[in-house]
Amino acid sequence: MNRKKIGQILFWLGVICIIVWQALTWYQSPIQRARTSEELSGTIHAVWGILFWIRIMGGSGLTFTIVGVLLYTGQKGSYFWLLGFLPNFANFGQYWHPTKHFPWLFGTGGTIILLSYIGILWLWTKTYTNYKGGVRTGREIQLLGYSFLVVASLLLCMYFGNPKQLALADLPIPSSESINVTLSLGMLLIFVGHYLVARGSKKETSVQ
């Protein structure tokens, strides 16, 4: 079986896992909001019960999809697809609970995010003339998506950082709802932008 076929199988396996994961999350969330873990113990909805484990395994769909795509689109003999496992390793960060606050980590992370964003905008000003019509529109929408993700990162910074700074502890912090909406809009705009780029590139290819 060639790598393209393996990549295609992994991608669709990942999609199925994500659908199952989300379906179970939607199904269980109302129940878990209204009951404590003790009340759910011994039921099918128990924390660390069968459905909970299926949800955890369903999260692996994120890794299957990116590894599958990198395998499908990668050059023969390339091992770049192995990097698709890195995001899954980052997921284990949920188990990292430092005993003390690291202000430098927030500062470094925020600086990297902002400099990367400025770099993306600067590169666009140097390359936008290479794109025409729908492709350029798609790229511009992608930029808007990145802007929303940067704003979401700033909201997250205030959400987690302000309570740990004495002078800012009494200031209102962004709601989890506003962070969720901002992240969702950012990803949606990036997807729409990619869609327009793909459609525009296909039209240009057919014309040629």
Side-chain angles (χ1 to χ4, degrees):
M1 188 180 296
N2 62 41
R3 60 187 292 145
K4 279 186 172 292
K5 192 66 176 178
I6 295 173
Q8 193 174 38
I9 291 173
L10 284 175
F11 173 77
W12 287 111
L13 175 62
V15 171
I16 292 171
C17 287
I18 291 172
I19 291 173
V20 171
W21 171 32
Q22 287 298 292
L24 287 177
T25 300
W26 279 78
Y27 171 58
Q28 285 197 297
S29 289
I31 299 169
Q32 292 174 336
R33 282 197 299 268
R35 302 280 192 281
T36 64
S37 59
E38 290 78 12
E39 291 174 321
L40 294 176
S41 179
T43 72
I44 195 173
H45 301 290
V47 177
W48 305 115
I50 180 64
L51 291 184
F52 194 79
W53 274 107
I54 294 175
R55 284 171 61 181
I56 291 176
M57 290 186 290
S60 63
L62 297 174
T63 299
F64 289 147
T65 51
I66 182 61
V67 170
V69 166
L70 292 177
L71 267 175
Y72 186 84
T73 60
Q75 296 181 357
K76 187 176 181 180
S78 170
Y79 291 96
F80 190 82
W81 60 271
L82 290 171
L83 296 179
F85 289 101
L86 288 179
N88 191 54
F89 291 137
N91 185 49
F92 286 99
Q94 63 181 300
Y95 302 109
W96 181 37
H97 297 284
T99 55
K100 63 177 182 178
H101 179 47
F102 294 102
W104 61 267
L105 186 60
F106 282 82
T108 303
T111 300
I112 290 173
I113 291 170
L114 292 174
L115 287 179
S116 298
Y117 176 62
I118 292 171
I120 289 171
L121 295 180
W122 182 80
L123 288 173
W124 172 246
T125 65
K126 301 299 180 181
T127 60
Y128 76 95
T129 55
N130 297 330
Y131 306 101
K132 305 295 180 184
V135 175
R136 182 184 290 190
T137 301
R139 294 291 188 187
E140 290 172 340
I141 291 176
Q142 287 176 10
L143 287 181
L144 287 176
Y146 291 136
S147 298
F148 272 93
L149 292 186
V150 170
V151 170
S153 71
L154 295 176
L155 294 176
L156 283 168
C157 182
M158 290 186 283
Y159 186 84
F160 293 111
N162 284 11
K164 295 181 179 180
Q165 301 186 64
L166 291 178
L168 306 178
D170 294 330
L171 293 178
I173 60 175
S175 66
S176 55
E177 290 80 5
S178 67
I179 296 171
N180 179 280
V181 170
T182 307
L183 279 171
S184 301
L185 284 174
M187 287 304 300
L188 178 61
L189 287 169
I190 291 174
F191 163 72
V192 171
H194 275 285
Y195 172 77
L196 291 177
V197 168
R199 190 176 69 172
S201 299
K202 187 175 181 180
K203 287 182 178 179
E204 288 180 2
T205 303
S206 63
V207 170
Q208 295 173 355

